[in-house]
Amino acid sequence: MFRRISLLAATALAGTLTLTVPAAQGAPEKRPTPVDEPGVTANLWEWNWKSIGRECSTLAADGYTGVQVAPPQNSLKRTELGSGSDTILHPWWEVYQPVTYDLTSRMGTEDQFKAMVTKCRKAGVKVYVDAVINHMTGQGKTSYGGVDYKPYHYPDYGPKNFHFTTGECPSSDGGIQDFNNKLQVFKCNLVGLEDLRTETDKVQDTLADYLNKLIGYGVSGFRVDAAKHIGQDDLDAIYSRLHKTKDGVKPYWALEVFGGGPGILSPEAFTRSGDVLGLDAAKQMQAAFKSYPDAHIGSIATLEVFGKGSGLTSSKKTMSFVTNHDTDRNPGEYLGHKDGATFILANEWLLASGYGSPQVFSSFEWETRDDSPPAKANGLITDADCTSGKWTCDHRDRGIVAMVKWHNYVGGAKRANFYTDDANVIAFSKDGKGWAAFNNGTDAKQIRVQTGLPKGTYCDVIHDKDPGKGCDGPTVVVNSTGLVTVKVAAKDAVAFTRADRISNLT
Ligand code: LM2
Ligand code: CA
């Protein structure tokens, strides 16, 4: 491989001098295109494979184009409790401690995983996997697949495959003491998890084999766990080893990079290697919609310039969400399912905003941070059941589903007719395609605003009880100049698209 470098010769040589030099070893490959962006995904986090397989036809009917699933590799299975507050034998986080890349997990067997992917793809729903590739375990001795291990000794890896055992982590205790220190962030153990030498061929090959196996089963892309601790160079090297998916494109690659780090450690600096998770975006949404627990009510008027305009990574490089499994458990800084109507409203708004590839988080109810998902005593997760009260099933929420469809209908249409009362009500249209209003206040509010839509009577899809079967929700009248007068209930929305006009009479 050779690259041509042109130098402008300003003095002695007239014109351009062309040198041919070998490309630098390990130079990051440009992210090959095309990569399918995922559209709206549901994050059915820690649903078991059987339940996800069953849900995919519903997801497809509701307009979701993808589903994100929890880490499928064989993981730590705890056999005893630690001390003090450690009272849950099988916390949700066992799955973030890989032991081997066989797919025997709390969510099911390798065959069940394969069957789920096949079923979802048939239904038209792509599967995205949470890939834990920065580290192995930090505790325990056995796994759901029945494989035993010792610290820094696994079937695939030995002490020479870890930064700690080779002495490459520069901190005094092997952990990350300074999250602004590049070497520590890349090469030390994150919360005690044994950090892989992802810069080596051996580790890159082993990880690529794992991810390529998943691609072979029909997986379309990855949420890369702890990507910030792998670093751009190693991520690029692993990605360059990945096959094309069954759709004939390179896999989608969404990197988990918490904000707050300087320079090369910032989310923006990782966009060269893939899309990034919208964690700062989720923080800004929390600040706008609510501070927990009701310390103050934010102002969604601030969201007028959400995105690049508020310092976030660009829409096309971001997987956006209101919450995920970590932030759902961090109510001081992020919204979570426990925020109820505010959480639903924020999801509806995100879907309308057009920022990023939006993802709707839907998982299990919990009381304490470490709670296990509903499971048998042996840790195996039981079937998700939306009527049990144990699973939130927020992806099925009527208003959220309505906005998934609204999002898909308006596509890339430009925002227009932005309105705000400068407090907690906003409304906007998507150029001739749709209109929506959001009230994050605690009182209903009547607004009179421009919709940009033709006159007629429209169905408010947020409250339509039986979508697709006539309109049994409230109707909204748009007058001959496109104006609408409508009352938006507290913590609620009103929305319709051009296709939701049920009559051209006003
Ligand atoms: C992630 N992204 O970078 C995940 O989104 C996050 O959920 C993971 O932490 C983390 N990185 C590692 O993959 C979770 C959980 C931790 C838990 C780890 C490993 O938030 O609490 O750590 O998974 O299972 C647990 C203990 C911790 C202990 C560690 C190692 O809570 O006290 O550290 O195991 O034994 C001594
Ligand atoms: Ca690392």
Side-chain angles (χ1 to χ4, degrees), residues 414-430:
K414 283 240 167 348
R415 194 184 75 188
N417 300 309
F418 187 87
Y419 162 86
T420 176
D421 64 351
D422 280 335
N424 242 328
V425 175
I426 57 175
F428 52 87
S429 63
K430 287 286 172 100

Side-chain angles (χ1 to χ4, degrees), residues 92-94 96-97 132 135 138-139 190-193 223 225-226 229 256 258 325-326 369-370:
W92 59 265
W93 44 254
E94 284 182 322
Y96 289 90
Q97 304 201 26
V132 184
H135 54 257
Q139 57 176 276
L190 171 68
V191 293
L193 299 162
R223 174 249 186 211
D225 184 72
H229 302 280
E256 194 225 17
F258 272 95
H325 73 276
D326 290 321
R369 182 193 184 268
D370 285 353

Side-chain angles (χ1 to χ4, degrees), residues 6-11 13 15-17:
S6 300
L7 297 175
L8 250 189
T11 50
L13 294 166
T16 302
L17 170 70

Side-chain angles (χ1 to χ4, degrees), residues 193-265:
L193 299 162
E194 297 162 9
D195 198 69
L196 286 162
R197 293 178 74 214
T198 47
E199 69 277 24
T200 62
D201 279 335
K202 154 73 191 169
V203 172
Q204 289 174 5
D205 282 341
T206 306
L207 294 174
D209 282 352
Y210 164 49
L211 302 181
N212 281 329
K213 172 169 81 169
L214 296 172
I215 290 169
Y217 293 164
V219 164
S220 297
F222 305 97
R223 174 249 186 211
V224 185
D225 184 72
K228 180 177 179 176
H229 302 280
I230 299 172
Q232 290 88 339
D233 290 349
D234 300 356
L235 288 165
D236 293 347
I238 295 162
Y239 190 75
S240 72
R241 287 166 150 81
L242 299 187
H243 301 155
K244 287 185 174 168
T245 71
K246 288 211 162 144
D247 303 300
V249 293
K250 287 284 281 193
Y252 182 66
W253 195 231
L255 308 174
E256 194 225 17
V257 182
F258 272 95
I264 196 107
L265 299 177

Side-chain angles (χ1 to χ4, degrees), residues 19 67 95 110 112 137 144 148 154 162 177 214 236 241 274 285 296-297 333 344 372 379 424 490 503:
L19 298 178
V67 62
V95 302
E110 187 142 347
Q112 287 175 324
T137 69
Y144 283 93
D148 294 344
Y154 303 87
F162 295 92
Q177 297 162 335
L214 296 172
D236 293 347
R241 287 166 150 81
M285 281 181 251
H296 70 261
I297 294 176
E333 292 184 82
I344 300 292
S372 169
N424 242 328
S503 136

Side-chain angles (χ1 to χ4, degrees), residues 311-460:
L312 299 171
T313 47
S314 73
S315 177
K316 63 177 194 308
K317 295 297 278 183
T318 306
M319 171 166 270
S320 56
F321 45 79
V322 176
T323 208
N324 70 14
H325 73 276
D326 290 321
T327 61
D328 196 50
R329 291 168 172 75
N330 187 359
E333 292 184 82
Y334 300 90
L335 291 169
H337 83 279
K338 287 182 188 291
D339 288 305
T342 306
F343 177 67
I344 300 292
L345 187 65
N347 274 282
E348 291 167 350
W349 172 81
L350 178 63
L351 287 158
S353 75
Y355 179 70
S357 286
Q359 179 169 84
V360 177
F361 179 70
S362 186
S363 190
F364 59 90
E365 295 289 352
W366 52 268
E367 293 300 322
T368 62
R369 182 193 184 268
D370 285 353
D371 277 358
S372 169
K376 296 194 219 156
N378 64 6
L380 293 193
I381 298 173
T382 45
D383 295 351
D385 174 358
C386 287
T387 64
S388 67
K390 293 180 178 173
W391 298 87
T392 71
C393 295
D394 286 318
H395 67 291
R396 287 194 190 176
D397 177 87
R398 187 175 67 208
I400 290 179
V401 170
M403 291 312 292
V404 172
K405 293 178 175 167
W406 191 100
H407 170 279
N408 294 344
Y409 183 85
V410 307
K414 283 240 167 348
R415 194 184 75 188
N417 300 309
F418 187 87
Y419 162 86
T420 176
D421 64 351
D422 280 335
N424 242 328
V425 175
I426 57 175
F428 52 87
S429 63
K430 287 286 172 100
D431 219 14
K433 292 270 197 177
W435 177 85
F438 303 88
N439 180 1
N440 188 46
T442 45
D443 296 307
K445 173 120 184 185
Q446 176 145 313
I447 57 174
R448 181 171 170 77
V449 299
Q450 180 56 241
T451 63
L453 291 172
K455 82 169 172 71
T457 301
Y458 290 77
C459 188
D460 169 16

